[in-house]
Amino acid sequence: MILEAENLTKLYKNNRGARNVTFALNPGDILGLLGPNGSGKTTVMKSCVGLLRPTSGKVTIEGHAVADDFERAMSGVGALIEAPALFDRLTARQNLSLAARYYPDIPAENIDGVLKRVEMEKYANERVGGFSLGMRQRVGLALALLNRPRLLILDEPANGLDIEGMVAIRDIVKSAAAEGCAVLISSHLAHETELCATHVGIMYDGEMLSLRTLEEALNAAPSLEDFFLSEVARYRKGGVGA
């Protein structure tokens, strides 16, 4: 098991956040957290990478508790959460070279390799400050892939991307999973999640309403969008999430 969240709860002062979220990821799994803005997706992801300390519950990565053994837990993790942290005055390659210093023994060819993988190699020597939102997202994804992660966590990675960009992100995620990487990805786009994920978690109002394989979700409804709407309707009527 690569990632396990057990009764993960993180509440803010306004009582919003995420409550009692439980899931697990094995190598090759792509779990799509599907839900609207404010549903708790980013809170879950930030808690998984130690950017937030949970109110209760536990997150374990490859057997190491994030709260107690952070460095070991994060050693095989690549993440892109919210906007990528980039230095505008540096080039794309320089940003990656700087990030590589935080990891042991990342060869220079990894940098060129991930730039090519996200289709940014021809802009490698241009300053990031002149990049569009979509180009910045691609560089952020390159940062997440730099250490050849065993766990990849991507928060709304298709933000700012055109159709070709979204297809490229989808292909990268699928190829990473095919290589044995576990992927946790969030989106508010049901169709994009349907095309990418092997499992889907419906997030709404800070709760995981349902956690199913994609096949189970599509057996229960004509599309993932329909499945999402049916789970939300059941929740509003007082039903208990699966």
Side-chain angles (χ1 to χ4, degrees), residues 23-219:
F23 62 88
L25 281 175
N26 290 302
D29 288 346
I30 306 172
L31 172 58
L33 298 182
L34 178 63
N37 294 333
S39 61
K41 304 187 303 294
T42 299
T43 296
V44 168
M45 290 184 154
K46 284 185 173 181
S47 298
C48 286
V49 297
L51 292 176
L52 292 174
R53 181 173 290 274
T55 306
S56 61
K58 185 177 181 181
V59 177
T60 304
I61 299 175
E62 294 187 297
H64 305 289
V66 172
D68 302 324
D69 198 358
F70 178 77
E71 288 192 14
R72 287 189 179 182
M74 295 300 297
S75 63
V77 178
L80 173 59
I81 297 183
E82 295 184 331
L86 302 173
F87 293 94
D88 287 349
R89 297 196 177 198
L90 300 182
T91 67
R93 180 178 280 113
Q94 287 171 334
N95 268 278
L96 290 168
S97 296
L98 185 63
R101 296 170 63 184
Y102 291 95
Y103 300 101
D105 305 323
I106 288 188
E109 54 264 30
N110 272 31
I111 293 173
D112 291 330
V114 293
L115 283 170
K116 184 175 182 179
R117 195 169 184 180
V118 300
E119 300 178 355
M120 288 293 290
E121 68 272 24
K122 63 182 177 180
Y123 305 107
N125 296 315
E126 294 187 18
R127 289 186 179 183
V128 169
F131 286 179
S132 67
L133 176 60
M135 293 169 74
R136 294 176 71 91
Q137 282 292 99
R138 287 176 184 259
V139 177
L141 181 58
L143 286 169
L145 294 168
L146 186 59
N147 64 328
R148 296 179 178 174
R150 296 179 296 277
L151 171 63
L152 186 60
I153 298 179
L154 303 174
D155 183 24
E156 303 275 5
N159 275 353
L161 297 179
D162 56 19
I163 293 174
E164 288 182 335
M166 287 192 286
V167 172
I169 294 289
R170 190 190 312 151
D171 289 344
I172 289 168
V173 167
K174 287 183 174 180
S175 67
E179 294 166 2
C181 183
V183 184
L184 178 63
I185 187 169
S186 72
S187 180
H188 58 272
L189 303 173
H191 180 64
E192 190 61 31
T193 303
E194 184 174 330
L195 292 173
C196 181
T198 62
H199 297 72
V200 61
I202 304 299
M203 294 289 299
Y204 193 81
D205 197 25
E207 297 190 24
M208 181 87 82
L209 302 189
S210 178
L211 179 61
R212 306 281 185 92
T213 66
L214 181 64
E215 182 179 7
E216 289 170 341
L218 295 180
N219 283 337

